[in-house]
Amino acid sequence: MKPHSLLMILFGATGDLAARKLYPAIYRLYKNNHISEHFALIGTARRPWSDNHFRQVVLDSIADQVDDPDHAQEFASHFYYQSNDVTDSDHYIHLQELAQKLDQQYQTQGNRIFYISLSPKLFPVITSQLKAQGLLTNQGYNRLIIEKPFGYDYQTAAELQAQLTQTFKENQIYRIDHYLGKEAIASIKNIRFNNTLFAPLWNKKYIDNIQISLAEDIGVEDRGAYYESSGVVKDMIQNHALQILALLTMDEPVSQTSEDFRKAKINILQHLRPFQSPDQVNSNVVRGQYGPSLDGHLKGYRQEENVASDSTTETFVAAKISINLPQWEGVPIFIRSGKRMDQKSTTINVIFKGLNESEMTNRLSIEIAPKLGYQLFLNIKEPGYSNANKVIPFSYELNSDQASYMPQDYERLIYDCIEGNLSNFTHFEEVANAWKFVDSIYENWEKMETSDFPNYPAGCPGPKKAQELLAKHQTYWY
Ligand code: BG6
């Protein structure tokens, strides 16, 4: 495969995400020869770093992946730094000078990826400056990668879209949802559409319910200030959980193009049934906030740094979601996510209906993290004299060696962006419809009291009501 030619301009190059995720991801692409001599990266941020200091930061961030120090040095030599005040036009003029020089030096063919890893508040000023100061090239491609959140509700997302599209067209905007870079999530379409065992059965006639569980054992760590303005619904549900839901329930795309792939997801997100009243939210959505652990070892959310001592921010949510489409009528999709639950476990369970009212059902379980694996539960006869039924799993799990070769979330997504493949990036219509649904939860929560917070101790599976939500449907969280 021929390596790609490109110049990447990264805003937020001194940040935590860049060092933890982006440089290691780009290094793996370099090691695998997807990018090589025709690649350069300009890192920008406020801090006055030199190229050499920047390269050392990059080298430090990839240290645990280096087999050949000379090759790592060679990689780091493609990194350049320019200090930048994002509101100052002059800085973009200098940035353009450096970009043009590197275009020549590395023969990047005018291909540019602008990656903004900064507060979303800065997206509009940066993109409008990029346009005003002529940083978009005429030959080659121009692509924008941005991190979540895309807006804070439907209204602000629509405003942001209007601002960004003054510079970039929708199909030049790559909105990162890092869950779409996960191996097991990318596999959902293959499982659903390439198996005779599943494709014809994937509907309300044969599926009883679907469960998506994004449980975390960590708390809010040092992100209290951000989390106070977010909560788990905006942090995990609006994006990650609803994306998984869409992948699990969308119709088979009419073609292999990313346009048709995203259209299929949009159709689902447009048909999520919004909650119309506090009563509806009350019976379908359970929210929680963690208190100190029972042994006092872990802090409660309200004791975390930069969190109000009477905060009403939710750190846990479980919900029963319905889709207003005939093929999904009556099939509940249960989702839950929370901080400081008893374990990290990102899983999907599809529970099929039993035959003839029997309780012997089939279940497909997809484990996304911490392990990566698939299990299909089938019924056989209990081996031996007995004729009783026995449930057995057919399992496939990647071992740690195999898992270490899998592209990491950001690696896969940056690779897709370089390839111009938008399938694993969210279209504005996906984001907008996800917000409309999520807004319907918040609008009703605003009318309700949260007097029972905190309502689950850190280190447990969440509030009891989350179990009751499924019990009403004669099921439980797998
Ligand atoms: C992020 C959230 O999007 O996803 C974090 O902002 C969360 O709060 C993280 O911890 C979880 O991602 P992963 O890949 O560890 O499941």
Side-chain angles (χ1 to χ4, degrees):
M1 206 183 319
K2 205 168 152 281
H4 292 268
S5 311
L6 85 129
L7 173 69
M8 187 181 280
I9 300 182
L10 172 64
F11 293 85
T14 58
D16 180 51
L17 182 89
R20 269 189 315 115
K21 303 281 187 186
L22 306 186
Y23 304 142
I26 297 169
Y27 180 53
R28 285 171 68 111
L29 292 172
Y30 190 77
K31 260 179 151 179
N32 290 324
N33 210 28
H34 295 304
I35 47 176
S36 65
E37 68 265 39
H38 300 303
F39 160 75
L41 184 147
I42 304 177
T44 81
R46 268 179 176 279
R47 287 183 226 175
W49 284 3
S50 65
D51 287 348
N52 278 341
H53 181 75
F54 183 37
R55 288 171 189 172
Q56 193 52 51
V57 170
V58 171
L59 285 169
D60 291 345
S61 74
I62 60 169
D64 60 346
Q65 306 199 28
V66 172
D67 319 308
D68 174 354
D70 290 340
H71 187 251
Q73 287 285 350
E74 186 190 296
F75 168 70
S77 74
H78 291 252
F79 285 66
Y80 297 79
Y81 187 82
Q82 196 171 81
S83 150
N84 184 24
D85 169 355
V86 295
T87 57
D88 182 344
S89 318
D90 284 352
H91 284 188
Y92 292 84
I93 296 169
H94 298 311
L95 196 57
Q96 168 69 334
E97 283 164 11
L98 177 58
Q100 279 174 332
K101 188 177 136 226
L102 296 178
D103 278 347
Q104 292 277 321
Q105 187 176 332
Y106 290 92
Q107 296 164 25
T108 60
Q109 301 181 356
N111 294 330
R112 286 192 186 170
I113 293 181
F114 302 91
Y115 194 135
I116 312 184
S117 176
L118 286 173
S119 162
K121 292 197 177 74
L122 300 172
F123 296 169
V125 62
I126 296 174
T127 53
S128 66
Q129 287 281 9
L130 291 175
K131 183 178 183 187
Q133 309 312 328
L135 271 102
L136 276 64
T137 59
N138 295 323
Q139 338 100 337
Y141 59 71
N142 294 285
R143 296 179 185 148
L144 173 70
I145 301 185
I146 42 176
E147 295 281 340
K148 69 161 190 159
F150 195 90
Y152 304 96
D153 53 18
Y154 171 69
Q155 189 57 38
T156 49
E159 284 161 19
L160 179 58
Q161 175 73 355
Q163 288 162 324
L164 296 190
T165 47
Q166 286 174 16
T167 302
F168 292 94
K169 296 197 190 83
E170 172 60 28
N171 66 8
Q172 294 177 305
I173 303 178
Y174 290 69
R175 295 179 191 80
I176 291 239
D177 180 320
H178 78 279
Y179 268 56
L180 298 182
K182 293 187 188 291
E183 182 65 29
I185 292 178
S187 189
I188 294 174
K189 59 180 185 318
N190 303 65
I191 295 174
R192 289 195 49 200
F193 304 125
N194 299 352
N195 288 302
T196 315
L197 270 186
F198 292 130
L201 306 186
W202 209 273
N203 53 51
K204 68 175 175 198
K205 191 163 172 209
Y206 297 105
I207 291 183
D208 184 82
N209 71 91
I210 296 178
Q211 301 181 10
I212 301 166
S213 183
L214 315 181
E216 296 192 273
D217 52 357
I218 55 171
V220 290
E221 303 186 296
D222 55 1
R223 297 160 75 221
Y226 152 75
Y227 207 83
E228 277 285 86
S229 64
S230 170
V232 70
V233 174
K234 292 185 185 177
D235 190 46
M236 297 290 283
I237 303 299
Q238 188 272 343
N239 36 63
H240 312 321
L242 292 184
Q243 279 296 318
I244 298 174
L245 182 153
L247 289 166
L248 286 169
T249 53
M250 69 185 194
D251 286 344
E252 182 164 9
V254 297
S255 83
Q256 303 281 340
T257 61
S258 50
E259 192 185 349
D260 284 329
F261 189 77
R262 300 201 296 178
K263 260 191 199 159
K265 280 197 287 166
I266 292 169
N267 187 43
I268 292 294
L269 295 163
Q270 268 171 346
H271 287 93
L272 298 179
R273 187 177 305 159
F275 299 107
Q276 313 274 13
S277 65
D279 272 356
Q280 278 188 9
V281 167
N282 208 15
S283 40
N284 294 293
V285 185
V286 175
R287 62 180 153 166
Q289 186 192 75
Y290 64 85
S293 60
L294 294 175
D295 62 4
H297 185 63
L298 300 169
K299 282 188 224 170
Y301 176 69
R302 289 176 177 176
Q303 287 77 52
E304 302 277 11
E305 214 176 305
N306 298 321
V307 169
S309 58
D310 57 352
S311 170
T312 55
T313 302
E314 83 289 351
T315 62
F316 174 96
V317 73
K320 175 181 160 186
I321 299 182
S322 306
I323 301 172
N324 281 333
L325 285 169
Q327 64 271 37
W328 292 114
E329 196 190 318
V331 182
I333 321 283
F334 296 107
I335 56 169
R336 71 171 168 177
S337 183
K339 295 278 186 203
R340 279 278 185 248
M341 292 175 64
D342 52 338
Q343 55 175 325
K344 168 80 182 175
S345 170
T346 314
T347 51
I348 294 166
N349 277 284
V350 179
I351 296 101
F352 290 86
K353 288 184 174 162
L355 291 166
N356 311 321
E357 309 291 313
S358 102
E359 293 193 349
M360 292 156 209
T361 61
N362 298 121
R363 172 163 65 95
L364 171 70
S365 178
I366 303 177
E367 199 169 352
I368 301 160
K371 288 190 185 146
L372 207 176
Y374 311 86
Q375 285 189 305
L376 178 61
F377 292 86
L378 299 177
N379 296 293
I380 60 160
K381 189 185 81 61
E382 173 86 50
Y385 290 113
S386 164
N387 272 317
N389 189 70
K390 183 176 166 69
V391 178
I392 52 152
F394 277 54
S395 307
Y396 174 70
E397 187 184 309
L398 273 75
N399 63 35
S400 53
D401 215 30
Q402 290 168 316
S404 71
Y405 289 115
M406 287 302 118
Q408 291 163 359
D409 310 345
Y410 278 88
E411 178 186 352
R412 184 191 305 275
L413 294 175
I414 295 172
Y415 173 78
D416 283 352
C417 175
I418 294 175
E419 288 264 304
N421 180 357
L422 280 155
S423 297
N424 291 324
F425 296 88
T426 49
H427 188 281
F428 174 66
E429 286 300 323
E430 294 176 63
V431 176
N433 284 290
W435 274 127
K436 284 183 189 166
F437 174 74
V438 157
D439 287 352
S440 82
I441 302 179
Y442 281 106
E443 280 158 17
N444 286 296
W445 271 351
E446 272 165 25
K447 300 175 196 152
M448 294 157 65
E449 301 246 324
T450 46
S451 50
D452 63 342
F453 276 7
N455 59 356
Y456 69 100
C460 91
K464 281 208 184 70
K465 277 191 181 162
Q467 314 295 333
E468 292 161 17
L469 182 70
L470 271 72
K472 283 193 261 175
H473 188 79
Q474 282 80 48
T475 185
Y476 53 88
W477 291 104
Y478 281 93

